[in-house]
Amino acid sequence: MVIRKSRSEIERMRRSGLIVAETLRDLRRMVEPGITTRDLDAYAEKKIRSAGAYPTFKGYRGFPASICASINDEVVHGIPSERKLREGDIIKLDCGATLEGYVGDAAISVGVGEISPELERLMQITRESLLQAVEKMVPGNRLYDVSYAVQEYVEGRGYAVVREFCGHGIGQRMHEDPQVPNYGRPGTGPRLKEGWVLAVEPMVNAGTHEVDVLADGWTVKTRDGKASSHFEHTIAVTEDGPQVLTALEDGTLHL
Ligand code: MG
Ligand code: MG
């Protein structure tokens, strides 16, 4: 069952979303060769807590950190460690914050130093597919119109969407109904209603869509070892159109 949010709940989710946005903005600036993903995690935890919020990921089903940090062929759910970023890497940073009981969830991909044009394009296509999906988030559209917007954009350009992991409803819990796959048949699925809040998160692979979970129980990797990109926003369906709750204060999407 999808839990619809009132206007005041959406306002509260905007506040947690803003903390996530500002954390990711800062992390993007910190990304450079030599920094460890544990450094980024420590910063994020401090930033989120100093805003009076809680890092939602910490302890979630036993996850040991405040952000997910996934490098190159790691798709999502990478655990921060002493691993140093290297020139030419692409890192996916995923972050959640809970403020006054409401969760915000967003992710960005960032190039480390100078990256290849191929990786730039992979990120650009992922970013753009998320924007295409956001546009579909108006009352009356169907859920899989949103999914298909991602799939069509990505596959039409020769890339693959990950199928084993998907976006989700979000509110007082990080993962609520419905699941939001990055593929689907347009014109099908439940109709979007005012007050729905969804975390939409295209995971786009340069090669095969197939992925594996590593022995650590968390890190998801592409099966063929090719690169992957991930962007995510928390978005409310309102009568005035989609409202991105994890945008920066001035509305920038920090993609
Ligand atoms: Mg996330
Ligand atoms: Mg999410």
Side-chain angles (χ1 to χ4, degrees):
M1 201 196 68
V2 181
I3 303 168
R4 292 172 72 176
K5 279 80 186 177
S6 68
R7 239 169 232 266
S8 77
E9 286 181 299
I10 289 173
E11 276 168 27
R12 286 206 254 178
M13 293 188 72
R14 172 68 182 120
R15 290 203 283 276
S16 52
L18 184 58
I19 294 168
V20 171
E22 291 178 342
T23 304
L24 288 173
R25 175 202 59 200
D26 292 356
L27 292 177
R28 174 195 290 287
R29 291 180 184 147
M30 292 170 69
V31 165
E32 61 177 11
I35 196 167
T36 71
T37 51
R38 187 165 289 157
D39 294 334
L40 297 173
D41 179 59
Y43 177 85
E45 175 162 11
K46 223 172 89 186
K47 172 93 181 172
I48 292 166
R49 289 188 190 276
S50 71
Y54 180 81
T56 317
F57 294 7
K58 193 139 200 179
Y60 183 84
R61 295 188 182 164
F63 190 76
S66 297
I67 60 168
C68 297
S70 313
I71 302 170
N72 298 339
D73 60 341
E74 297 171 352
V75 180
V76 287
H77 303 166
I79 301 171
S81 72
E82 292 304 316
R83 181 171 172 184
K84 288 188 167 92
L85 298 183
R86 295 187 311 186
E87 178 96 17
D89 284 345
I90 153 178
I91 180 162
K92 281 73 63 171
L93 299 166
D94 196 342
C95 177
T98 306
L99 183 72
E100 292 166 14
Y102 288 86
V103 185
D105 183 11
I108 55 173
S109 299
V110 186
V112 182
E114 194 84 4
I115 63 169
S116 69
E118 289 77 19
L119 286 178
E120 278 293 357
R121 181 167 159 78
L122 174 67
M123 286 201 295
Q124 183 54 33
I125 279 161
T126 312
R127 188 186 283 132
E128 184 58 37
S129 74
L130 174 54
L131 298 177
Q132 298 285 326
V134 170
E135 279 182 27
K136 298 288 180 190
M137 290 187 58
V138 293
N141 270 355
R142 305 267 192 177
L143 180 60
Y144 303 133
D145 292 334
V146 177
S147 303
Y148 182 69
V150 172
Q151 182 181 19
E152 183 194 31
Y153 193 87
V154 168
E155 293 184 350
R157 282 153 186 82
Y159 293 82
V161 292
V162 172
R163 289 159 181 266
E164 283 87 343
F165 297 88
C166 55
H168 47 92
I170 181 168
Q172 298 194 52
R173 287 181 304 129
M174 180 158 60
H175 293 125
E176 295 183 353
D177 286 341
Q179 292 202 340
V180 187
N182 292 308
Y183 62 94
R185 246 171 52 137
T188 68
R191 286 194 191 281
L192 303 185
K193 293 186 181 69
E194 210 189 317
W196 280 30
V197 183
L198 306 177
V200 180
E201 45 182 315
M203 290 154 244
V204 176
N205 293 352
T208 177
H209 70 86
E210 291 179 303
V211 297
D212 295 296
V213 179
L214 294 191
D216 64 18
W218 284 104
T219 313
V220 178
K221 258 181 135 165
T222 60
R223 185 161 294 171
D224 60 9
K226 292 190 177 169
S228 185
S229 174
H230 179 216
F231 285 92
E232 174 180 26
H233 270 303
T234 295
I235 306 129
V237 176
T238 80
E239 62 175 10
D240 305 321
Q243 186 188 357
V244 180
L245 303 178
T246 41
L248 286 168
E249 188 118 58
D250 63 0
T252 331
L253 298 187
H254 68 84
L255 293 174

